Amino acid sequence: MSGPFDLVLRSTRAVLPDGVRPAAVAVRRGRIAEVGDHRAAFGARVDLDLADTALLPGLVDTHVHVNEPGRTRWEGFASATRAAAAGGVTTLIDMPLNSIPPTVDVPALAVKRKAAEGKCFVDVGFWGGAIPGNGAALRPLHRSGVFGFKCFLADSGVEEFPELSVAEMRLAMREIARFGGLLIVHAENAEALGAAPSSVRYRDFLASRPAVAEDSAIADVIDAARAYRARVHILHLAAAEALPRLAAAKADGVRISAETCPHYLTFSADEIRDGATQFKCCPPIRDAADREALWAALADGLIDVVVSDHSPSTPDLKRLDSGDFGAAWGGISSLQLGLAAVWTGARARGFGLADVARWMAARPAELVGLAGKGRIAVGYDADLVAFDPEAAFTVDPANLHHKNPVTPYAGRELHGVVRATYLRGEPVTDVPRGGFLTHPEVR
């Protein structure tokens, strides 16, 4: 074996592309240089044997609302990326909202990058946004390195990021397809949504955002993607009703992928008590049958990735005092907890660590074209996570790195504890070492 190396990590449960097995992972200059037998005689500056603690690839979370600049009281790059590292996430892609300005043109992207400089504990990339009237800004944003473009087909919740009509979405998609970009869509049909009810009853809120709103919006996205041969991605799928349509589109060759989120895989509407607005998100958490259908779709490969959709706010905006679902901010705070939440549900359903690593590391990296992330393989970035899958803990919001201690996971027992996180071969510490990422064409 060649050497010496900067770091060797050994584990009897290394999660590799070909399965889980004992292995030693050797790192040189921030990248994985060798993957050998567990007892391989590597020479290294640091050689750690994790024993039965699992070694996972660093997770890639492609759906995070960092909110800086402009709404930094909600979150920020320092707090978000520290929470990410604590939860085993070594790469995140920041959404174009709810920052001010939103990332809808090149100057706004520059403002966001400047706001993030020197604050990131993990690697960070950026999405651009597609809103009414910014069609001419899409190609320049692509050239500046954004990983794709997000649009809403219903109210985004913030006035500076308006939704697109179906006709406007088709125009944006056609332009993005011309330069080979990716359109990611918040797919709820605005016409199928009811008015947000001023009610403490969760069932009233759920009824205002029926499954047909997701299904019909996804139908519109599929029709446009087929017409323009565009690459599209459905965000935060919650409704089982849309799965057959998605399966048919994939079988027909439409270039479409989909994600779901830990909260849709963990909770169900029946367990959400009235007034518990920490559970409010859009699309809403649906019934247990939807949850189990999402798990089955993950097993079948119909749903491609699991990402957090971390969308925090200050406690007052969640209206915890009144419990008013109509007035409360819609977003789940979970960036630090996604791995444990998904592993808790996965192990109970007979899935393994390799499944979780595929859903939360390898496939999200593939979605955005990060060829050097998401796998423990030679040539990849040495983004690694020491993970104890048997350990359990009860979620205490005070122990989270999120800026605001509001989460629906509070008091819930989860399995799986992150013991250490490595970014490009170095343990994540109190010194921010994260860098900025761009899509492959720019690199």
Side-chain angles (χ1 to χ4, degrees):
M1 297 293 181
S2 59
F5 298 101
D6 302 317
L7 170 70
V8 171
L9 291 177
R10 304 173 188 273
S11 171
T12 61
R13 290 189 286 183
V15 183
L16 307 177
D18 60 352
V20 180
R21 60 178 172 83
V25 178
V27 177
R28 185 187 292 119
R29 292 190 292 275
R31 293 197 175 184
I32 297 170
E34 299 268 6
V35 178
D37 294 336
H38 181 237
R39 299 185 182 276
F42 291 132
R45 178 173 54 85
V46 178
D47 192 319
L48 296 176
D49 192 339
L50 303 175
D52 289 338
T53 298
L55 186 63
L56 273 63
L59 305 190
V60 178
D61 192 337
T62 57
H63 195 151
V64 179
H65 295 268
V66 177
N67 303 334
E68 186 175 5
R71 291 189 173 93
T72 314
R73 289 179 59 243
W74 297 16
E75 196 63 278
F77 284 99
S79 56
T81 57
R82 191 185 289 270
V89 175
T90 52
T91 299
L92 65 82
I93 313 296
D94 173 56
M95 282 291 168
L97 74 164
N98 303 303
S99 57
I100 302 173
T103 315
V104 295
D105 54 33
V106 172
L109 176 62
V111 169
K112 180 167 282 191
R113 283 177 170 156
K114 184 173 179 59
E117 282 180 3
K119 299 178 181 177
C120 298
F121 291 85
V122 302
D123 286 347
V124 173
F126 304 95
W127 294 106
I131 63 171
N134 83 323
L138 300 177
R139 189 182 295 263
L141 272 169
H142 176 75
R143 290 172 175 163
S144 296
V146 300
F147 285 89
F149 302 89
K150 180 177 186 178
C151 74
F152 281 75
L153 295 179
D155 184 7
S156 74
V158 292
E159 62 182 2
E160 67 274 2
F161 201 97
E163 74 270 22
L164 298 180
S165 67
V166 172
E168 289 168 331
M169 180 269 291
R170 292 178 69 94
L171 287 174
M173 188 186 297
R174 184 176 65 180
E175 171 62 14
I176 292 165
R178 285 172 176 162
F179 55 77
L182 170 65
L183 181 67
I184 63 174
V185 185
H186 180 121
E188 287 184 287
N189 185 325
E191 295 181 358
L193 299 179
S198 180
S199 173
V200 299
R201 283 174 38 88
Y202 181 74
R203 282 287 174 181
D204 292 341
F205 168 66
L206 180 59
S208 75
R209 303 187 87 97
V212 68
E214 289 189 72
D215 187 37
S216 59
I218 290 170
D220 290 331
V221 174
I222 289 169
D223 287 345
R226 182 180 286 113
Y228 302 129
R229 299 182 180 179
R231 185 167 168 244
V232 297
H233 178 72
I234 301 300
L235 299 167
H236 44 49
L237 183 64
E241 183 173 318
L243 292 171
R245 187 183 302 280
L246 182 63
K250 286 193 169 190
D252 196 33
V254 176
R255 301 171 67 197
I256 189 168
S257 55
E259 70 187 37
T260 194
C261 305
H263 41 280
Y264 300 128
L265 297 171
T266 301
F267 304 114
S268 67
D270 288 339
E271 65 187 278
I272 301 175
R273 68 183 188 277
D274 292 346
T277 51
Q278 62 268 34
F279 288 86
K280 180 181 176 180
C281 56
C282 301
I285 295 165
R286 302 194 185 278
D287 292 327
D290 291 89
R291 179 187 63 200
E292 298 310 312
L294 296 176
W295 279 107
L298 276 170
D300 294 342
L302 179 54
I303 294 177
D304 301 88
V305 300
V306 181
V307 291
S308 68
D309 189 11
H310 178 69
S311 184
S313 71
T314 54
D316 59 304
L317 292 177
K318 290 300 283 185
R319 304 300 174 94
L320 298 173
D321 52 348
S322 67
D324 186 341
F325 277 99
W329 173 256
I332 299 289
S333 182
S334 63
L335 181 56
Q336 188 171 333
L337 299 170
L339 174 57
V342 173
W343 172 239
T344 300
R347 70 194 291 272
R349 293 168 175 81
F351 297 107
L353 290 171
D355 298 307
V356 173
R358 184 173 63 255
W359 300 330
M360 302 186 78
R363 284 185 180 169
E366 292 167 3
L367 172 69
V368 295
L370 287 173
K373 301 285 191 182
R375 294 175 184 267
I376 299 178
V378 172
Y380 279 64
D381 285 353
D383 298 343
L384 303 164
V385 178
F387 182 68
D388 186 343
E390 278 77 48
F393 67 101
T394 299
V395 177
D396 180 353
N399 293 332
L400 301 178
H401 292 290
H402 306 158
K403 185 165 286 187
N404 292 287
V406 179
T407 178
Y409 292 94
R412 195 175 188 93
E413 183 179 75
L414 298 178
H415 285 267
V417 173
V418 172
R419 300 299 186 189
T421 301
Y422 294 81
L423 179 68
R424 284 176 267 110
E426 295 287 341
V428 177
T429 64
D430 289 336
V431 178
R433 296 179 46 256
F436 293 159
L437 304 172
T438 56
H439 70 75
E441 288 182 37
V442 172
R443 292 195 299 276

